[in-house]
């Protein structure tokens, strides 16, 4: 039997679902057809790839080894297809982007608008997720680029600096305070903050702990939009990137003393990934727009990402 790509996809689907029936439904083929095709693959290779004796179907040791290479082969073939269809004049193309949640509040909008204005033929898929999931998605070739923060990264991930982000206390404009405000004034003050799922919250909590202040967290929200509405319409303050306050006329940033530590925003990619024309065009825009948000000293990068094939 000649080995075909469908045999790899069928094996990986069964391994993922642990069940022939669910895998067949996902693949839109019949269960007997799926079972027959996997058995043909096993006969061709001369080895058992699946353990069917338990309640769930599992890969054997040989199956694990084969599946590892099958996933890589399918990933590389998908990259090859994108390379073949990559249009250098940017009249068409597609980009898969993921960002950590706070960037949907102030960065994704300008980036998307600029990309569409310059290259209307490029379509964009934007996903919001945590940084660890972004890096995993890049390594699995489920994403082309990610925007997150500098820090420890998984092996195989390249992080290029975009700009330096500053955070401040944020209040409604009607309750704006003269700054900078001593951090000790936040002790026992009621705040509305992002939930612990956000990297921003960990950054804020570490700052409070370092300066031994204990604000009263009256509200926790899992979206920046919810926080901005809470602060606009009530007496609570929050802590957010300055760029978000600048985009909302009803919000006012109040610098703290000592200032909250800045963070370096980075463009993430897989180190050995093929870099499409669409990805390179987006990177150039990200560096340009990022400089408008930069509050550091030359942290913004302006080098164009090289083409990688």
């Amino acid at each position: 039997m000649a080995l075909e790509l469908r045999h790899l996809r069928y094996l990986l689907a069964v391994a993922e679902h642990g069940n022939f029936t669910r895998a067949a439904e996902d693949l839109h083929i019949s269960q007997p057809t799926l079972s027959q095709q996997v058995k043909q693959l096993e006969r061709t290779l001369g080895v058992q790839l699946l353990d069917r004796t338990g309640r769930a179907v599992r890969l054997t040791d040989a199956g694990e080894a084969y599946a590892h290479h099958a996933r890589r082969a399918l990933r590389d073939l998908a990259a090859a297809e994108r390379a073949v269809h990559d249009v250098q004049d940017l009249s068409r193309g597609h980009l898969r982007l993921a960002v950590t949640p706070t960037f949907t509040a102030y960065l994704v909008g300008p980036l998307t608008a600029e990309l569409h204005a310059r290259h209307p033929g490029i379509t964009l898929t934007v996903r919001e997720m945590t940084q660890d999931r972004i890096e995993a998605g890049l390594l699995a070739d489920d994403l082309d680029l990610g925007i997150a923060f500098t820090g420890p990264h998984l092996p195989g991930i390249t992080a290029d600096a975009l700009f330096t982000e500053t955070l401040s206390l944020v209040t409604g404009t009607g309750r704006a305070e003269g700054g900078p405000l001593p951090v000790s004034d936040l002790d026992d003050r009621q705040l509305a903050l992002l939930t612990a799922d956000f990297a921003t919250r960990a950054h804020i909590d570490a700052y409070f702990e370092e300066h031994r202040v204990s604000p009263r967290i009256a509200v926790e929200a899992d979206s920046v939009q919810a926080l901005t509405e809470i602060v606009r319409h009530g007496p609570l303050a929050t802590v957010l990137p300055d760029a978000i306050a600048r985009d909302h006329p009803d919000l006012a940033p109040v610098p703290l003393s000592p200032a909250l530590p800045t963070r370096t925003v980075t463009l993430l990619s897989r180190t050995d990934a093929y870099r499409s024309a669409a990805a390179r065009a987006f990177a150039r825009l990200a560096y340009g727009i990022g400089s408008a948000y930069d509050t550091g000293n030359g942290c913004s990068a302006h080098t164009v990402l090289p083409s990688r094939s």
Side-chain angles (χ1 to χ4, degrees):
M1 181 197 75
L3 187 64
E4 298 184 20
L5 290 179
R6 71 171 185 273
H7 295 106
L8 306 185
R9 295 190 176 99
Y10 290 172
L11 174 68
L12 295 179
V14 175
E16 178 183 352
H17 291 281
N19 182 283
F20 275 91
T21 301
R22 289 194 294 271
E25 291 173 351
D26 187 43
L27 293 165
H28 304 292
I29 62 174
S30 69
Q31 189 273 332
T33 298
L34 175 59
S35 181
Q36 179 188 38
Q37 293 289 309
V38 173
K39 287 180 180 177
Q40 285 181 354
L41 175 61
E42 290 177 318
R43 285 197 296 270
T44 299
L45 297 174
V47 67
Q48 183 179 342
L49 299 173
L50 294 171
D51 179 1
R52 302 166 174 82
T53 60
R55 295 183 61 183
V57 180
R58 300 179 183 277
L59 290 167
T60 62
D61 290 344
E64 288 281 5
Y66 190 79
H68 170 75
H69 291 283
R71 291 187 187 97
R72 186 169 63 184
L74 291 175
R75 185 192 71 190
D76 290 345
L77 283 170
E81 290 180 7
R82 291 197 300 275
V84 168
H85 294 100
D86 186 20
V87 179
Q88 297 300 320
D89 65 5
L90 297 172
S91 60
R92 60 182 170 87
H94 182 69
L95 182 70
R96 303 166 300 170
L97 174 71
V99 300
T100 52
T102 53
F103 295 121
T104 59
Y106 73 91
L107 188 60
V108 168
L111 279 173
T112 301
E114 189 69 15
L115 181 69
H116 182 71
R118 295 195 185 192
H119 311 294
I122 296 178
T123 59
L124 179 67
T125 298
V126 181
R127 300 175 64 189
E128 182 183 276
M129 58 182 68
T130 57
Q131 183 155 336
D132 58 341
R133 289 183 58 204
I134 291 176
E135 296 192 10
L138 289 167
L139 293 174
D141 197 40
D142 294 329
L143 299 169
D144 298 308
L145 295 172
I147 298 177
F149 296 102
T150 193
H153 300 290
L154 295 176
I157 294 296
T158 294
D160 295 291
L162 289 177
F163 61 93
T164 300
E165 181 187 76
T166 300
L167 292 90
S168 297
L169 188 74
V170 176
T171 68
T173 52
R175 300 178 303 283
E177 308 176 37
L181 186 72
V183 66
S184 57
D185 286 7
L186 297 183
D187 217 10
D188 289 327
R189 180 166 180 163
Q190 294 193 70
L191 299 180
L193 295 179
L194 293 166
T195 63
D197 298 333
F198 288 74
T200 299
R201 175 61 184 275
H203 191 73
I204 295 167
D205 286 347
Y207 169 79
F208 289 156
E209 183 176 355
E210 178 186 358
H211 296 286
R212 299 178 182 176
V213 296
S214 300
R216 296 175 56 196
I217 312 305
V219 176
E220 291 186 307
D222 64 359
S223 80
V224 173
Q225 182 179 3
L227 276 186
T228 57
E229 290 301 302
I230 290 167
V231 172
R232 284 179 58 215
H233 296 284
L236 300 179
T238 188
V239 178
L240 288 173
D242 285 355
I244 295 177
R246 289 203 303 266
D247 286 345
H248 289 78
D250 295 333
L251 300 178
V254 179
L256 292 171
S257 179
L260 276 146
T262 59
R263 301 187 291 179
T264 300
V265 178
T266 58
L267 186 69
L268 303 179
S269 60
R270 196 177 87 235
T271 303
D272 61 350
Y274 169 76
R275 196 69 55 78
S276 70
R280 295 196 302 273
F282 182 87
R284 287 191 290 269
L285 295 179
Y287 292 140
I289 289 178
S291 64
Y293 292 104
D294 189 53
T295 56
N297 296 313
C299 189
S300 230
H302 293 281
T303 54
V304 176
L305 291 177
S307 173
R308 294 176 182 165
S309 54

